[in-house]
Amino acid sequence: MTFEEIGIESKYIKAIEELGFEKPMPVQEKVIPHLIKDDSPDIIALAQTGTGKTAAFGLPLIQKSNPRTKHVQHLILCPTRELCLQISNDLAEYSKYDKEIKSTAVFGGASIERQITIIRKGVHIISATPGRLLDLIKRKVVKISKIKTVVLDEADEMLNMGFRDELEAILAETPKEKNTLLFSATMPSEVRKMANKFMNNPIEITIGKKNVGAENVKHESYIVHARDRYLALKRIADYYPDIYGIIFCRTRKETQEVADRLIQDGYNADSLHGDLSQPQRDKVMGKFRIKNISLLVATDVAARGLDVDNLTHIINYNLPDDLEVYTHRSGRTGRAGRLGTSIVIANMKEKNKLKQIERQINKKFDNKLVPLGKDICEKQLFHLVDRMERVEVNNERINAFLPAIMQKLEWLDREELIKRFVSVEFNRFLDYYKNTPDLNAPAAERKRGDQKRSAGKRAADGFTRFFINLGKTDDLRPVDIIGMINDYTNIRDIDIGEIDIKKNFSFFEADQTYTEEIMKGFKKKDFKKREINVEVAENTKRESSSDSHKGKRKRSFKKESTKPRPKYKRRKRK
Ligand code: AMP
């Protein structure tokens, strides 16, 4: 379909073609034909940012505006000043070849006098944040008694931000016969209530799936004690040396505290929250956009206006009170065809919230283990080495200094030289992570939490018992086994039963359904340069081949199993 076929006039098509719009996007195909009509129906469109919704309502509104009347004809309400400005800039672009149509943006935090002057000159379309618009209505600068259309853009965001009273007050002033359009990424009950109250038999249009997180986003959870939240955050940040992300906190105070601690600890971080003035916020956002800051600690409200496409991570330092907000947070990564990761740092008590979110986004969290100090050191070391390999050498400049440098370092051989250069950067990680603890909420504790929720779910006899040729002498820990099962099978919800670490070998139990996958996954794998050998132990419920080694292992297992064995059990995540 073309823009012409869905009813857009040529002067607007010319303008949007210059913007690179070749054909309508799905939301435009679905919405524009309804809106272009004089008696268009009320419409609810479930569409996320980036789907082309601005043109879906913007083009018809421009086309339907009557330049001869001076009063406001169409009203677009949106949650943030940035979105307001973006909408009015887009409208100006679309009407580039129709100079008679005037639109403007009004929002709080900017001079109201200037906005009044512009409106008094006559505008046809206003994009506004609810608070400021209400102010202008009360001052009788904006008269909305004759408006034809109200667009509620990002309705869920506006309600999340507490604009309900303002929206209701504004809508109460509008004429009954107006056309109402509601755009929202999600449909929580509050939005539904508002639609029921103010809309007239709306048509419902869904772009993509309802309430589904972006396709390119991986969702990961890390379960730690609440007191270890900050340390876990640092470990995650350190484990991803190229991280460029937003860390979401719940309150302004928490946002500032986390940012302060990160800055103090040497991270490229800053804060964004409502206690900062608008110029301060603009400055922070500017620095973040150009990647002068790689970690932005923000509240949901303050981050609304920030539109950055290439974030690698979203970190939920604390989950939002309203879990629907998680969708918005995570949708800020995985954009423009890139992959992104949305991380939740949670404590044991928050596991139910994770379940709720899983239902909401229709995806599972990958429960990851907080990296250990040694994992981080290894990752950072190789990152450094990679950088060293890829660095561009300015021969012309450096050659001048080279003879003197060579002479000074003459006494060092190649190995020593590399060690020293690498250590210059790397020592701070080594020092910091020396003897640091495992931050993961202990497996035993996980088990207790899980059992409470899923008591009596699965009997232990559905498990296969495996032998593995690694033990205490290899520094093997239960978390290593869990990690290997996850990584080597690529299946994240295998039930793991008892893990029994011996001196030179160990046993572990896992859901017998996955016996083959586990056997296959562990083939030809190394652990600390030792080849791993995994076999099915004989006393398992499942039939196994009669291998002469197994008899021995069975005996040794039986002998040692008379002592109480530690149990590490992880239940299936739903
Ligand atoms: P929006 O969801 O309105 O923020 O739009 C997302 C992006 O898609 C904006 O950069 C628009 O300029 C762009 N866009 C909107 N409609 C089209 C179209 N039909 N073809 C190409 N790009 C578009």
Side-chain angles (χ1 to χ4, degrees):
M1 240 190 247
T2 63
F3 278 108
E4 197 182 350
E5 281 166 345
I6 58 171
I8 300 295
E9 289 171 18
S10 59
K11 59 185 165 191
Y12 306 118
I13 296 180
K14 188 172 172 209
I16 57 177
E17 274 178 356
E18 286 177 19
L19 294 175
F21 296 14
E22 287 172 8
K23 60 182 181 56
M25 288 167 89
V27 67
Q28 295 156 3
E29 267 186 27
K30 288 187 179 172
V31 169
I32 291 175
H34 289 296
L35 271 193
I36 222 92
K37 291 186 266 176
D38 280 337
D39 56 344
S40 50
D42 284 359
I43 298 175
I44 294 177
L46 272 161
Q48 298 186 340
T49 317
T51 48
K53 60 190 169 66
T54 314
F57 62 75
L59 286 168
L61 293 194
I62 289 173
Q63 197 163 303
K64 280 165 93 169
S65 296
N66 179 354
R68 280 172 295 284
T69 45
K70 257 183 103 187
H71 65 255
V72 180
Q73 294 165 38
H74 311 293
L75 198 57
I76 301 157
L77 291 162
C78 57
T80 62
R81 127 200 164 111
E82 283 78 12
L83 186 56
C84 251
L85 278 167
Q86 197 183 312
I87 292 170
S88 90
N89 286 341
D90 287 355
L91 297 184
E93 296 267 15
Y94 308 155
S95 58
K96 188 174 165 191
Y97 297 108
D98 183 0
K99 292 274 183 245
E100 285 182 307
I101 305 297
K102 304 275 185 243
S103 60
T104 193
V106 301
F107 43 82
S111 153
I112 197 162
E113 278 74 31
R114 223 182 105 65
Q115 293 173 355
I116 293 173
T117 312
I118 294 172
I119 294 166
R120 291 228 158 106
K121 281 189 192 154
V123 291
H124 307 109
I125 308 176
I126 288 185
S127 59
T129 50
R132 175 57 61 96
L133 181 74
L134 201 57
D135 194 350
L136 289 164
I137 291 171
K138 282 182 186 154
R139 291 175 189 229
K140 302 206 176 345
V141 178
V142 176
K143 295 184 190 70
I144 56 170
S145 55
K146 290 190 191 151
I147 56 155
K148 293 202 166 106
T149 323
V150 177
V151 179
L152 302 168
D153 194 15
E154 303 202 351
D156 50 352
E157 293 284 333
M158 286 198 281
L159 292 175
N160 277 337
M161 289 173 69
F163 281 134
R164 204 189 68 207
D165 292 346
E166 284 89 346
L167 287 177
E168 296 212 344
I170 293 166
L171 289 170
E173 297 259 330
T174 57
K176 263 217 140 36
E177 60 281 7
K178 70 179 179 300
N179 193 195
T180 308
L181 315 169
L182 184 148
F183 287 80
S184 197
T186 58
M187 208 15 109
S189 58
E190 260 209 296
V191 177
R192 182 61 69 192
K193 269 189 226 152
M194 184 133 223
N196 290 343
K197 193 163 170 189
F198 292 101
M199 298 179 82
N200 186 15
N201 283 332
I203 295 178
E204 231 172 286
I205 290 169
T206 304
I207 305 303
K209 286 180 223 148
K210 262 186 206 178
N211 295 356
V212 167
E215 285 306 311
N216 294 342
V217 182
K218 281 193 294 180
H219 300 265
E220 296 180 349
S221 58
Y222 291 84
I223 310 292
V224 296
H225 289 296
R227 61 167 189 270
D228 289 333
R229 225 177 260 276
Y230 178 71
L231 293 178
L233 169 69
K234 274 179 42 160
R235 291 216 187 163
I236 295 164
D238 286 344
Y239 194 69
Y240 296 104
D242 288 323
I243 193 166
Y244 176 46
I246 304 179
I247 299 162
F248 281 103
C249 293
R250 213 163 16 199
T251 61
R252 296 169 182 190
K253 188 164 164 274
E254 185 182 68
T255 305
Q256 193 59 54
E257 279 168 6
V258 171
D260 286 348
R261 287 180 78 178
L262 285 172
I263 295 165
Q264 215 165 34
D265 287 338
Y267 293 83
N268 231 341
D270 214 333
S271 61
L272 187 69
H273 55 73
D275 286 344
L276 304 175
S277 67
Q278 189 62 50
Q280 283 173 320
R281 272 186 274 167
D282 286 344
K283 200 167 155 198
V284 174
M285 287 196 263
K287 282 208 239 164
F288 187 59
R289 274 192 202 99
I290 59 168
K291 290 198 176 181
N292 240 340
I293 297 168
S294 54
L295 292 172
L296 185 68
V297 193
T299 55
D300 289 291
V301 176
R304 297 279 186 244
L306 189 66
D307 217 8
V308 181
D309 271 344
N310 49 349
L311 299 180
T312 60
H313 289 79
I314 292 301
I315 300 182
N316 293 266
Y317 185 76
N318 256 310
L319 283 170
D321 290 329
D322 173 3
L323 296 181
E324 289 272 353
V325 172
Y326 178 85
T327 313
H328 292 284
R329 289 183 176 180
S330 60
R332 291 179 161 274
T333 185
R335 288 187 179 180
R338 294 182 182 87
L339 293 178
T341 307
S342 173
I343 287 175
V344 176
I345 304 176
N347 61 34
M348 291 290 300
K349 290 188 201 137
E350 291 172 312
K351 281 191 152 190
N352 267 337
K353 288 190 182 174
L354 294 180
K355 293 251 168 215
Q356 267 174 292
I357 294 175
E358 285 182 339
R359 277 195 291 275
Q360 185 183 303
I361 59 175
N362 204 14
K363 278 187 178 179
K364 294 258 187 236
F365 278 103
D366 183 359
N367 183 210
K368 306 276 277 191
L369 293 171
V370 180
L372 298 173
K374 72 171 177 44
D375 305 331
I376 292 165
C377 289
E378 190 178 317
K379 192 90 182 270
Q380 288 285 351
L381 179 61
F382 283 100
H383 183 67
L384 179 63
V385 173
D386 273 352
R387 263 173 55 209
M388 192 114 79
E389 276 189 304
R390 278 183 278 124
V391 73
E392 218 171 289
V393 176
N394 187 334
N395 283 313
E396 211 177 299
R397 300 290 295 276
I398 210 154
N399 280 352
F401 303 101
L402 217 53
I405 297 171
M406 293 296 261
Q407 197 182 3
K408 191 158 184 350
L409 301 178
E410 208 175 33
W411 61 283
L412 293 166
D413 64 23
R414 179 184 147 89
E415 191 180 327
E416 193 62 25
L417 198 63
I418 292 175
K419 271 195 225 162
R420 279 163 192 259
F421 266 99
V422 166
S423 300
V424 171
E425 279 256 352
F426 188 53
N427 275 354
R428 77 185 170 101
F429 281 104
L430 280 183
D431 288 344
Y432 179 77
Y433 283 113
K434 199 161 74 189
N435 302 327
T436 46
D438 184 345
L439 296 182
N440 294 291
E445 196 168 326
R446 290 177 187 207
K447 181 192 149 201
R448 278 200 296 278
D450 279 345
Q451 273 182 341
K452 256 191 239 157
R453 267 207 336 268
S454 56
K457 225 187 90 227
R458 179 187 273 283
D461 62 4
F463 286 76
T464 297
R465 191 167 190 81
F466 295 86
F467 162 86
I468 183 165
N469 65 327
L470 304 168
K472 284 183 191 145
T473 46
D474 304 284
D475 282 331
L476 183 77
R477 299 153 316 152
V479 284
D480 296 319
I481 294 191
I482 296 171
M484 286 191 281
I485 298 173
N486 278 342
D487 291 344
Y488 294 162
T489 60
N490 240 337
I491 305 169
R492 301 283 152 168
D493 54 0
I494 298 180
D495 265 3
I496 299 169
E498 288 171 354
I499 296 178
D500 192 8
I501 310 248
K502 308 281 181 207
K503 194 164 169 232
N504 294 318
F505 57 86
S506 310
F507 292 98
F508 63 88
E509 291 179 358
D511 183 343
Q512 67 175 37
T513 329
Y514 297 100
T515 306
E516 250 171 59
E517 281 87 338
I518 291 171
M519 291 300 292
K520 228 188 255 170
F522 275 85
K523 270 212 177 100
K524 296 208 174 112
K525 294 290 187 319
D526 286 349
F527 182 77
K528 296 184 180 159
K529 305 221 168 92
R530 244 188 97 184
E531 192 175 333
I532 301 177
N533 172 27
V534 166
E535 293 172 30
V536 175
E538 236 183 39
N539 65 330
T540 181
K541 282 259 157 199
R542 230 167 174 261
E543 276 183 19
S544 55
S545 62
S546 54
D547 177 320
S548 61
H549 294 288
K550 294 221 180 86
K552 274 186 225 152
R553 268 169 213 136
K554 185 180 165 194
R555 278 195 296 282
S556 70
F557 163 65
K558 270 192 169 165
K559 188 169 144 250
E560 295 201 28
S561 71
T562 51
K563 280 182 271 163
R565 287 174 291 141
K567 287 181 183 174
Y568 297 93
K569 191 155 186 169
R570 195 193 50 176
R571 284 283 173 189
K572 204 173 258 180
R573 287 183 295 274
K574 299 257 170 62

